[in-house]
Amino acid sequence: MKPAPALITPALGLFLPLALVSSLLLAGCSEPSAPAATPTPSARPALSGATATDTGWIQLLIPMDDQAGQLLELAADRASAPGLATWAVECAEDHGSELARLRVLLLRMGLPDTNVHRGHDMPGMVTEADLARGRRLTGAAFDRFVLQELRDHLGQSRRVSRSAARSAGSGEVRRLAARIADTRTGQLRALPRVQD
Amino acid sequence: MPLLGVTLPESGAMAAAAPKADVVRVAEFLAECPASHRAPDDPIIFPGLPGASHMHSFFGNTSTDAHSDLNSLDGSASTCAPDTDLSAYWVPTLYEGSTPVEPTGTTFYYLGEGVRDDIIAKTRPLPRGLRIVAGNAKATGPGDNTISRWSCLHHGEVGSSPGFVNCPAGSMLESYLDFPQCWNGKDLDSADHKSHMSYPVNGACPTTHPVPVPKLRQVLRYPVNGDPSDLRLASGAGYTMHGDFINVWPEDEMERRVRDCIRPIVKCGADGRPS
């Protein structure tokens, strides 16, 4: 699969997709959100205006949600604190629908669906080691561990999504990022407390 | 000045090519850029997304963060000698256990080697704002397509390896990383941050990337030795070592060095004068 045709041209000094570069050259000036002059009919239209910020955010959120989703499913199964399992079920559903939207955007950007951050110490990422530890724990120790991991995940994904809501090049990406950041606030607020 | 790159095969060939006892014929200038700061930021992979990255150690430009671009970097200060080099250099942070370790030797060489002498003579300055990534942060094993090497200072007998090596007491762990030196002549970056640059093929730049530019060789010396089992990078194992670079050299300073040091194959120091 070919990567998205985005580049920085020395002449413009900006990170722009090829289509936008040509429209700038033709029109002289344009807004990333301006409608394309000749929309191409397609089941999956390319993502207009997307930059390295959009790529970075989408390629980070997908593995973050994937990994957290596995921990949420474990929590839905195993949590003992009141309300935690129910919360985890709802939160896992939110993560599933987010992932579906993110993967559509990824496809439209022509990017492969691979975890480019595997093995890295990514802030807030639920790692394979975290999942293995979660599977070994039970009772209150499991609840405390899961709550800490998920608080980190929700907080970090809210942080990068707030940034993407401001900095992403594509309006669609900015809107999805803003929605996810809002969802995170709700999820954090509803996160059950457990006694130490 | 320590002999450059004694642990790397291409550098060994370079040293052997010295025509006279007292004149080493090497196309080289350099910048010595001590560690500046650490941050979970990456202006190439995660532009505009502060805190999104694994931990990085930054060298050279003192302002590098998730929002950096050529303009912001150009108006800032540098840890480099010469301080005219405002370039941003960064690598994944090295940890010994849970303690971050910064390299105490931080030399960024710009070299002509890697292509034939007649091509070295045609080297063009690195364009301002050019972004280059080297190494493979996603490597899943030591054989996974990485050019980065670890070795031991003054202990060539240990050899070099994509993974961490066990350096004798009193030695230092060294990281060598050569950046690609053939540019496509058009783009300062690309979607995968790699395809606008290429390594040479058979001593020449390929037709897809026809413009020879100085080869950046990053040499970092970390004050650690012994059993490396306690070492890791923020990106994982030793073989995930990688380097990122945004060129912010002033155009005239870069041009002068390419003209006086690289094209005529002359060894220069940090001031860009024959040393």
Side-chain angles (χ1 to χ4, degrees):
Chain A
M1 191 177 290
K2 278 180 82 72
L7 75 165
I8 292 180
T9 63
L12 291 166
L14 291 167
F15 202 99
L16 297 168
L18 275 176
L20 187 56
V21 172
S22 10
S23 74
L24 276 175
L25 293 175
L26 290 172
C29 90
S30 180
E31 288 283 323
S33 53
T38 50
T40 34
S42 164
R44 289 202 192 95
L47 208 56
S48 162
T51 66
T53 300
D54 306 55
T55 306
W57 178 71
I58 291 171
Q59 288 194 325
L60 178 61
L61 255 281
I62 289 176
M64 284 192 81
D65 276 12
D66 250 342
Q67 295 290 107
Q70 293 181 53
L71 194 60
L72 284 163
E73 280 171 20
L74 195 61
D77 212 34
R78 196 177 285 196
S80 52
L84 184 52
T86 314
W87 175 88
V89 168
E90 283 174 18
C91 197
E93 282 170 6
D94 289 345
H95 277 65
S97 68
E98 262 173 37
L99 275 167
R101 286 168 188 271
L102 288 163
R103 288 206 157 97
V104 167
L105 294 179
L106 193 75
L107 267 174
R108 287 174 56 196
M109 292 176 79
L111 296 166
D113 192 359
T114 51
N115 179 358
V116 297
H117 306 296
R118 188 181 298 281
H120 299 190
D121 292 345
M122 303 308 287
M125 178 88 76
V126 176
T127 64
E128 291 301 322
D130 294 332
L131 287 171
R133 185 168 171 212
R135 288 187 199 103
R136 284 194 304 269
L137 293 171
T138 53
F142 173 82
D143 292 352
R144 279 195 300 274
F145 173 73
V146 157
L147 279 166
Q148 186 55 51
E149 289 292 315
L150 292 172
R151 205 173 278 125
D152 288 352
H153 159 73
L154 296 171
Q156 175 67 5
S157 50
R158 177 170 66 176
R159 181 181 183 192
V160 296
S161 298
R162 279 180 174 163
S163 297
R166 281 192 301 270
S167 305
S170 152
E172 281 184 71
V173 172
R174 286 197 301 273
R175 283 190 290 279
L176 179 59
R179 189 155 63 229
I180 289 177
D182 285 349
T183 304
R184 290 290 181 269
T185 299
Q187 288 162 336
L188 279 162
R189 199 180 291 135
L191 195 63
R193 295 184 188 284
V194 292
Q195 292 194 327
D196 285 324
Chain B
M1 147 128 207
L3 183 61
L4 173 62
V6 285
T7 53
L8 284 182
E10 61 264 39
S11 310
M14 173 190 78
K20 289 174 194 152
D22 55 345
V23 182
V24 180
R25 201 165 166 271
V26 180
E28 171 185 317
F29 65 91
L30 61 86
E32 181 65 46
C33 308
S36 168
H37 57 287
R38 270 194 300 276
D41 284 5
D42 190 328
I44 293 181
I45 308 294
F46 293 115
L49 302 173
S53 175
H54 57 246
M55 191 60 77
H56 281 123
S57 296
F58 292 90
F59 310 91
N61 201 292
T62 55
S63 73
T64 314
D65 66 16
H67 299 288
S68 294
D69 59 17
L70 182 56
N71 276 341
S72 70
L73 294 168
D74 198 24
S76 184
S78 171
T79 67
C80 295
D83 60 7
T84 47
D85 179 15
L86 292 168
S87 299
Y89 307 89
W90 67 96
V91 299
T93 299
L94 177 74
Y95 289 87
E96 188 171 32
S98 56
T99 309
V101 183
E102 295 302 348
T104 51
T106 50
T107 312
F108 297 86
Y109 295 94
Y110 292 80
L111 306 168
E113 66 162 62
V115 291
R116 296 191 314 265
D117 285 6
D118 60 305
I119 293 171
I120 293 180
K122 294 177 195 154
T123 302
R124 293 246 311 263
L126 287 155
R128 264 167 69 81
L130 183 69
R131 294 151 179 237
I132 318 181
V133 179
N136 184 6
K138 292 177 251 175
T140 54
D144 188 4
N145 193 28
T146 185
I147 196 166
S148 108
R149 291 292 180 271
W150 294 93
S151 54
C152 302
L153 178 61
H154 302 321
H155 285 274
E157 79 280 2
V158 175
S160 65
S161 159
F164 294 127
V165 290
N166 189 333
C167 293
S171 180
M172 290 173 87
L173 184 66
E174 284 182 321
S175 167
Y176 276 76
L177 183 58
D178 282 6
F179 285 59
Q181 71 201 95
C182 299
W183 180 41
N184 74 2
K186 297 193 295 277
D187 305 315
L188 297 179
D189 198 355
S190 46
D192 62 0
H193 310 294
K194 290 200 168 192
S195 48
H196 60 304
M197 299 296 299
S198 166
Y199 286 93
V201 181
N202 298 324
C205 282
T207 52
T208 49
H209 298 75
V211 181
V213 292
K215 168 165 79 178
L216 177 60
R217 171 175 292 163
Q218 168 187 288
V219 180
L220 303 178
R221 290 176 175 152
Y222 292 88
V224 294
N225 53 46
D227 180 5
S229 62
D230 208 22
L231 298 178
R232 70 189 170 88
L233 294 165
S235 53
Y239 48 74
T240 66
M241 185 62 172
H242 55 286
D244 295 71
F245 166 66
I246 303 178
N247 174 37
V248 198
W249 280 86
E251 233 160 63
D252 56 342
E253 294 283 336
M254 169 66 69
E255 262 172 34
R256 176 169 68 79
R257 286 166 170 81
V258 168
R259 185 192 66 217
D260 296 349
C261 315
I262 302 293
R263 288 188 199 132
I265 313 190
V266 167
K267 185 175 163 67
C268 295
D271 60 357
R273 315 271 178 208
S275 56

